[in-house]
Amino acid sequence: MMATTHALAGMVVAGVTLVVAPEHTPVAVAAAGIGGAFPDLDLYADHRKTLHFPTYYAAIAAVLAAVAIAVPSQFSVGLAWFFVAAALHSRMDAFGGGLELKPWRGTSERAVYDHYRGRWLRPRRWIRYDGAPEDLALALVLGGICLAIYPASIDPVIAVVVGISAVYTLLRKPMVWIVERLVDALPPTLLDRVPERFVEDFRS
Ligand SMILES: [Zn+2]
């Protein structure tokens, strides 16, 4: 799933704050949006492993949520939502596609790494790949929920996030074509710096 879909999912879940502690809603929705996208910062490291922790984030989130309930403050609430959204992201990735340059081919059995179990979780492909039409559809639904539940002041943020999702979906396959041409044109010395999965897939 796209990082933006994860961000919107986190923001939807953070809507709980509207009911439980409405005064903390702004920090909750901001922290959940950032925490929802955060794991994908490992895109050029060991993607879906370095910053993806399906089990550990959930455990940290549970502890931080208890702290936020016991001692509610901007900081404790924000930190808890950051980890709840990051945990949700790491879990959601198992329902998407595999780790490969062209995930629509459905050849990879690696969705997201579970450090606790010490193994890769396999992709369920409910959303076939990040940037698939159904991924955009999910982003639109989640964005619609955000528009409905939150004050109008955050509407522009939601519109931008959904807009990025739409552009990404349009460019998803052309981007791979460009990456392939770039990798092809790279001198061998620079090829070492390209994340292995790009080169591996390209050579296969
Ligand atoms: Zn991810």
Side-chain angles (χ1 to χ4, degrees), residues 1 6 39-40 42 47-48 52 89-90 93 112:
M1 272 152 267
H6 291 300
D40 280 347
D42 68 10
H47 187 37
R48 302 220 196 120
H52 287 63
H89 174 143
S90 304
D93 270 344
V112 59

Side-chain angles (χ1 to χ4, degrees), residues 53 101 123 140 162:
F53 297 92
L101 188 59
L140 286 170
V162 171

Side-chain angles (χ1 to χ4, degrees), residues 48 52 54 90-91 93-94 110-114 119-121:
R48 302 220 196 120
H52 287 63
S90 304
R91 292 259 149 201
D93 270 344
R110 293 179 168 196
V112 59
Y113 191 79
D114 188 341
R119 63 177 173 83
W120 287 89
L121 303 181

Side-chain angles (χ1 to χ4, degrees), residues 49-204:
K49 184 174 182 183
T50 307
L51 293 177
H52 287 63
F53 297 92
T55 305
Y56 292 138
Y57 279 156
I60 294 169
V63 172
L64 291 175
V67 171
I69 291 164
V71 195
S73 72
Q74 299 279 70
F75 182 72
S76 65
V77 170
L79 201 61
W81 279 116
F82 178 93
F83 278 97
V84 168
L88 180 64
H89 174 143
S90 304
R91 292 259 149 201
M92 279 171 71
D93 270 344
F95 297 96
L99 256 188
E100 57 210 305
L101 188 59
K102 294 175 180 168
W104 44 89
R105 287 179 171 172
T107 53
S108 170
E109 281 308 302
R110 293 179 168 196
V112 59
Y113 191 79
D114 188 341
H115 298 258
Y116 174 69
R117 292 183 177 84
R119 63 177 173 83
W120 287 89
L121 303 181
R122 67 177 180 81
R124 310 274 171 85
R125 298 195 174 90
W126 293 2
I127 304 281
R128 289 168 302 150
Y129 58 92
D130 60 294
E134 62 270 28
D135 194 359
L136 178 60
L138 178 59
L140 286 170
V141 170
L142 294 169
I145 295 171
C146 286
L147 290 177
I149 63 174
Y150 289 118
S153 53
I154 75 154
D155 287 1
V157 177
I158 305 300
V160 167
V161 176
V162 171
I164 292 170
S165 307
V167 171
Y168 183 89
T169 301
L170 273 175
L171 297 180
R172 182 62 176 91
K173 289 186 176 179
M175 274 192 300
V176 169
W177 188 86
I178 292 167
V179 165
E180 281 186 327
R181 297 301 166 287
L182 285 175
V183 168
D184 199 19
L186 278 180
T189 45
L190 280 179
L191 213 52
D192 293 345
R193 299 176 186 221
V194 177
E196 205 174 309
R197 85 201 130 88
F198 290 163
V199 183
E200 244 177 20
D201 204 273
F202 175 63
R203 281 174 180 157
S204 63

